[in-house]
Amino acid sequence: MPEEGMEDNKEGEERPKWNNKAEYLLTCIGFAVGLGNVWRFPYLCQIYGGGAFLIPYLIALVFQGLPLLYLELAIGQRLRMGSIGVWNSISPYLGGVGVASMLVSFCVSLFYNTIVAWVLWYLFNSFQEPLPWSQCPLNHNNTGYVEECVESTPVNYFWYRQTLNITPNMETSGSLQWWLVVSLATAWSIVYICFVRGIKTIGKAVYFTATFPYLVLTIFLVRALTLPGSSEGLIYLFTPDWEILKNPQVWLDAATQIFFSLSVAFGGLISFSSYNSQKNNCERDAVLVGVINSATSIYASIPIFAILGFKAHTNYVTCLNGNILALTNEFDISDMNITVENYEQWFDSLNGTHPSRVSDLKLKTCDLQTFLDQSASGTGLAFIVFTEAVISMPGSQVWAVLFFIMLFSLGLSSMFGNLEGVLTPLHDLKLVPKWMPNELFTAIICLLLFLMALIFCLGSGNYWLEIFNSYVGSVPFLIIAFFEIIAVAYIYGIGRFSDDLEFMTGHRPNIFWKVCWLVISPLMLFVVLVAYVAVQAQTPPTYAAWNPDYVNFPNTEVLPYPDWVFAICVLLSSVPVISIPLVAIYRLICCMSGRHSKDSLHNNPNPYANEDYVVELLL
Amino acid sequence: MRCLRMLVRILVLLYLAGAPALAQTLCQPNASNGYRVRISIKTALGNQAYEWNENEMFLFRATMAFAMRRYYKTETYNVDNIIVCNQTRRVSFWFVVISPENPTMLIPKADVEKAVSMSRHRINNAFLLTDRTLEFLGIYPTLAEPVNPDTPPWLIVFGVVIGAVFAGIIALLVSSLLQKRRKEKGMMEDGQDEEDRQMKGVENGINLDGIYNRGFTDDDRFTKL
């Protein structure tokens, strides 16, 4: 963000610079490596045939992810502006792409930091003995446990009731949950303190937030490999099922996962690279960030699945022990004569001699495979499945604290990019009054985002967050990225872009990059966009509600979105991207009406234009 | 006369022989005033499990007598008042409590329950077992009182974190404010040196070589100006 103080010369506003290359790389890596690497990729790997999923994933990385990444870092570094300024420079008709980026970053910041707030809440609660999600609380008159908790599990109860206090459906909004408001305020305060001095403070913060997750993942890996059942989990994860590659859904999910994982089209990467010096090898940076992001996903899935294997094993043993106890009590067999190992023989012999008594016991079928199949992604993985696994590990508090600090650093480093995608364009638009210091402006934006995010602290907040996640955090990005690549490859011109790259990196981009930018990536993006929209249109708009009065409780009740909610979903998907055609039309009208606008960039879409002659940068 | 004494002796003998038998009939599985006890020593103690034998049973009866004494606040109960029967390999058995005054009268179920609940902790500890591994079927263990600290622990952690964050924010804001004041004072004092500093391209210690004045590009073929 430009520092104030130079009133006379606009161009003289020195752009902040990264202290060193490491800070820049760590910030980009931190932005790309986020919660999705830990709780989305392992889930996809599991349901799409383990090791076989890596093939579409890596193909998507090489042909779609890396070219987009290189493109964003390059234009940011060359044009030295945030997303709005950059796209205005490339083509005024496509200035809307920058606006769309900013709007989407704004919406994502809203809900992403709420997830960080939930992580903080769990972190605060991990400093207790026993962990609050390990047992059910007593009811009013201390005669028994709370019914909702007994019917589901203590972990589910802590998440749905004591954290979210979720309402049974979206129409009931519920009230503000004060503990979530408090956690959200903490999250935004921490984000603010890292943004206070712009990239100076961010650059310091990323030394911790970008590296700590790797340390925790390694610790968990070592711990998890010593737990029983971990090897089953790993085998389950990595056993390749090559048949799955015939399913087009796999390729679609691999492409979308790479795309969302690299955090392109947010505008944050453009902003970060705009603080570089122009003679920086952004090609190497792009490849480095992309490869590290994917490697982190793969590396993270190992301890996650080892621990999930441990959890499945624990559940299996608990299930068996329940059956063993029932059999022991019914037939008065000596204590501990039936063990997990000889359960089968005992069961067969008892069932042979007294089948009616055995069937009356209503023993549960315990199958390890069923427990392994109980996978989850997203918040379900972190707050339900993993917390349950942590209870069974000796020294639960330590593991819980480590896990949630890791999630917090992952989320915080991604928040840096999200918020940067909002702040830098606003600075570039010169919307900040001269008298306002940067710190105050950042504080106002953070406060505004905090107040708007309070809707996610209502009783129905989780439902709204899912809506934001599905509708804002998906299709708009694909559209923006598609227009980005078309803008640079065709409107700006691949020849001019190659010259820029030669200036910055010292060599022209090789044939691989050119082919990707011209043909492969736009095509892939277009196909992915169309396929994604088609799949979304086919799935009915429903959500899973937690309703204790539901007949099949503890299963979630599948409810359709109310009409007004569905209208909001459509609005969320379309309003950010509507700015792309709107700006184009506006510029066209300006141009056709013959108004010589004050910005010479309109007449002269030349990034080499000396900006001293620009008086006002119109939208 | 001798016949009568013989009869009395036989009757006395019968009575003495029959008393325990009578007592034994009082204890039966599913007796209305009896409880079934189920013990899982191996589950509780694993490798350090002890063998359940007659001595352990004696300890159980003594502990139950202690519980009855404690409940009624008398000293009349004895090991003989606790009758045990139907022991299985599991280990499980039934027991009844007979009144010390009247050997044919059983103590009602409810009283036995209250006595057991009152001394449950002591009974468990006598056998190194827990509520789960020493079960009195029909007597539910009292639920553990939840520990309710005055301040929830999470609030303490939150307080620490938010205090540190706010302190950091204030420190950073104050230091940048002071820096700006110093910069302004410095600018006012040597305003003549400003141009020199600008020309050297060093401003407040930040290098300006990152600014590329695009009006002076050396790529002539792209400059339309």
Side-chain angles (χ1 to χ4, degrees), chain A residues 123-278:
Chain A
L123 176 63
F124 294 154
N125 275 293
S126 302
F127 289 96
Q128 295 178 46
E129 165 67 32
L131 289 171
W133 55 81
S134 61
Q135 57 196 26
C136 283
L138 297 178
N139 58 17
H140 297 298
N141 34 14
N142 282 9
T143 52
Y145 296 115
V146 174
E147 198 186 311
E148 187 182 347
C149 185
V150 170
E151 285 177 22
S152 57
T153 61
V155 177
N156 274 322
Y157 180 75
F158 185 75
W159 169 237
Y160 284 109
R161 189 55 52 211
Q162 290 177 307
T163 304
L164 299 175
N165 200 11
I166 206 163
T167 53
N169 52 44
M170 278 197 85
E171 286 94 346
T172 0
S173 289
S175 55
L176 274 180
Q177 316 303 324
W178 67 269
W179 55 92
L180 286 182
V181 174
V182 150
S183 306
L184 190 64
T186 316
W188 277 111
S189 309
I190 297 181
V191 168
Y192 177 62
I193 195 179
C194 295
F195 263 88
V196 142
R197 289 234 191 107
I199 59 172
K200 302 270 172 251
T201 35
I202 292 178
K204 300 288 177 294
V206 287
Y207 279 119
F208 173 75
T209 59
T211 55
F212 188 69
Y214 293 98
L215 177 67
V216 174
L217 282 173
T218 313
I219 295 176
F220 265 105
L221 180 64
V222 171
R223 168 77 262 215
L225 290 177
T226 61
L227 291 170
S230 56
S231 44
E232 276 112 15
L234 284 176
I235 294 171
Y236 185 68
L237 167 70
F238 284 120
T239 315
D241 173 18
W242 305 106
E243 291 298 310
I244 209 99
L245 293 177
K246 296 184 190 153
N247 181 3
Q249 179 78 18
V250 179
W251 296 87
L252 174 65
D253 273 337
T256 47
Q257 171 61 17
I258 266 293
F259 181 75
F260 298 135
S261 179
L262 284 173
S263 310
V264 291
F266 275 77
L269 286 170
I270 299 180
S271 303
F272 286 143
S273 63
S274 72
Y275 302 127
N276 272 334
S277 69
Q278 294 214 331

Side-chain angles (χ1 to χ4, degrees), chain A residues 3-6 8 11-15 17 78-81 121 123-125 127-128 138 142-145 178-179 182-183 185-186 189-190 192-193 196-197 200-201 277-278 325 328-329 331-337 437-439 496 499 503 604 606-612, chain B residues 36 38-44 88-92 132 135 143-146 152-155 157-158 161-162 164-169 171-173 175-177 179-180 183 187 194 198 203-204 206-219 221-225:
Chain A
E3 300 211 1
E4 306 295 347
M6 308 297 293
D8 50 349
E11 189 48 43
E13 278 177 3
E14 63 270 20
R15 204 163 179 80
K17 264 177 61 101
R78 188 74 186 92
L79 300 175
R80 315 207 83 230
M81 278 188 281
W121 161 254
L123 176 63
F124 294 154
N125 275 293
F127 289 96
Q128 295 178 46
L138 297 178
N142 282 9
T143 52
Y145 296 115
W178 67 269
W179 55 92
V182 150
S183 306
T186 316
S189 309
I190 297 181
Y192 177 62
I193 195 179
V196 142
R197 289 234 191 107
K200 302 270 172 251
T201 35
S277 69
Q278 294 214 331
L325 193 65
T328 312
N329 287 345
F331 292 102
D332 277 327
I333 306 165
S334 199
D335 187 29
M336 294 246 93
N337 259 10
N438 277 339
E439 290 88 347
R496 241 180 1 177
D499 293 330
F503 171 72
N604 197 7
N606 185 346
Y608 297 95
N610 190 336
E611 284 186 350
D612 275 341
Chain B
R36 186 166 180 213
R38 196 151 62 197
I39 300 185
S40 318
I41 309 174
K42 285 214 194 97
T43 314
T88 66
R89 299 176 295 163
R90 169 65 182 80
V91 174
S92 75
R132 229 173 34 89
E135 296 168 82
L143 300 165
E145 277 293 316
W154 75 267
L155 264 184
V157 183
F158 158 72
V161 168
I162 201 83
V165 168
F166 275 151
I169 291 177
L172 281 172
L173 287 178
S175 76
S176 33
L177 206 65
Q179 239 177 39
K180 251 182 227 159
K183 195 170 45 166
M187 269 169 58
E194 262 240 319
Q198 268 185 336
E203 182 73 38
N204 301 325
I206 302 170
N207 279 326
L208 281 178
D209 60 335
I211 299 298
Y212 180 62
N213 190 338
R214 297 182 193 128
F216 292 95
T217 175
D218 46 347
D219 285 337
R221 47 202 166 109
F222 293 107
T223 308
K224 289 193 183 127
L225 292 169

Side-chain angles (χ1 to χ4, degrees), chain A residues 93-115:
Chain A
Y93 296 107
L94 282 178
V97 174
V99 177
S101 262
M102 185 183 78
L103 287 176
V104 189
S105 284
F106 188 86
C107 292
V108 170
S109 302
L110 276 179
F111 74 82
Y112 206 85
N113 219 21
T114 311
I115 301 179

Side-chain angles (χ1 to χ4, degrees), chain B:
Chain B
M1 209 50 190
R2 247 187 44 201
C3 291
L4 201 60
R5 251 188 286 158
M6 200 66 154
L7 201 63
V8 168
R9 219 174 286 153
I10 290 172
L11 279 173
V12 166
L13 272 173
L14 272 174
Y15 177 75
L16 283 174
L22 181 66
Q24 217 41 39
T25 55
L26 287 171
C27 171
Q28 276 175 15
N30 300 318
S32 55
N33 278 328
Y35 276 104
R36 186 166 180 213
V37 176
R38 196 151 62 197
I39 300 185
S40 318
I41 309 174
K42 285 214 194 97
T43 314
L45 300 172
N47 284 341
Q48 295 161 339
Y50 49 82
E51 190 68 38
W52 186 264
N53 51 27
E54 274 309 308
N55 299 333
E56 306 289 342
M57 185 58 86
F58 179 78
L59 178 61
F60 176 78
R61 294 164 70 202
T63 323
M64 285 310 303
F66 163 76
M68 298 308 296
R69 282 193 183 196
R70 218 167 147 231
Y71 177 63
Y72 281 117
K73 297 190 179 50
T74 73
E75 289 174 12
T76 51
Y77 280 88
N78 238 316
V79 176
D80 298 327
N81 300 121
I82 316 291
I83 318 237
V84 166
C85 56
N86 227 45
Q87 186 173 332
T88 66
R89 299 176 295 163
R90 169 65 182 80
V91 174
S92 75
F93 48 85
W94 285 82
F95 77 94
V96 291
V97 183
I98 53 178
S99 157
E101 290 89 28
N102 183 357
T104 53
M105 198 178 84
L106 292 179
I107 304 290
K109 205 164 178 163
D111 289 336
V112 175
E113 176 174 348
K114 290 200 196 103
V116 166
S117 300
M118 192 166 121
S119 308
R120 188 65 185 264
H121 188 61
R122 302 291 299 273
I123 303 172
N124 286 348
N125 277 350
F127 292 95
L128 308 172
L129 298 174
T130 66
D131 281 346
R132 229 173 34 89
T133 42
L134 171 57
E135 296 168 82
F136 287 83
L137 297 184
I139 303 179
Y140 295 109
T142 46
L143 300 165
E145 277 293 316
V147 178
N148 256 338
D150 292 325
T151 32
W154 75 267
L155 264 184
I156 300 173
V157 183
F158 158 72
V160 168
V161 168
I162 201 83
V165 168
F166 275 151
I169 291 177
I170 293 175
L172 281 172
L173 287 178
V174 162
S175 76
S176 33
L177 206 65
L178 287 175
Q179 239 177 39
K180 251 182 227 159
R181 290 248 180 85
R182 242 179 270 138
K183 195 170 45 166
E184 278 168 26
K185 245 172 56 169
M187 269 169 58
M188 289 203 305
E189 278 171 8
D190 31 28
Q192 297 93 356
D193 294 331
E194 262 240 319
E195 283 177 8
D196 285 343
R197 266 193 264 136
Q198 268 185 336
M199 276 171 33
K200 280 191 218 156
V202 175
E203 182 73 38
N204 301 325
I206 302 170
N207 279 326
L208 281 178
D209 60 335
I211 299 298
Y212 180 62
N213 190 338
R214 297 182 193 128
F216 292 95
T217 175
D218 46 347
D219 285 337
D220 282 326
R221 47 202 166 109
F222 293 107
T223 308
K224 289 193 183 127
L225 292 169

Side-chain angles (χ1 to χ4, degrees), chain A residues 110 113 180-186 188-189 444-455 457:
Chain A
L110 276 179
N113 219 21
L180 286 182
V181 174
V182 150
S183 306
L184 190 64
T186 316
W188 277 111
S189 309
I444 291 176
I445 297 289
C446 284
L447 186 67
L448 179 69
L449 283 165
F450 165 69
L451 290 174
M452 286 179 71
L454 285 178
I455 46 165
C457 296

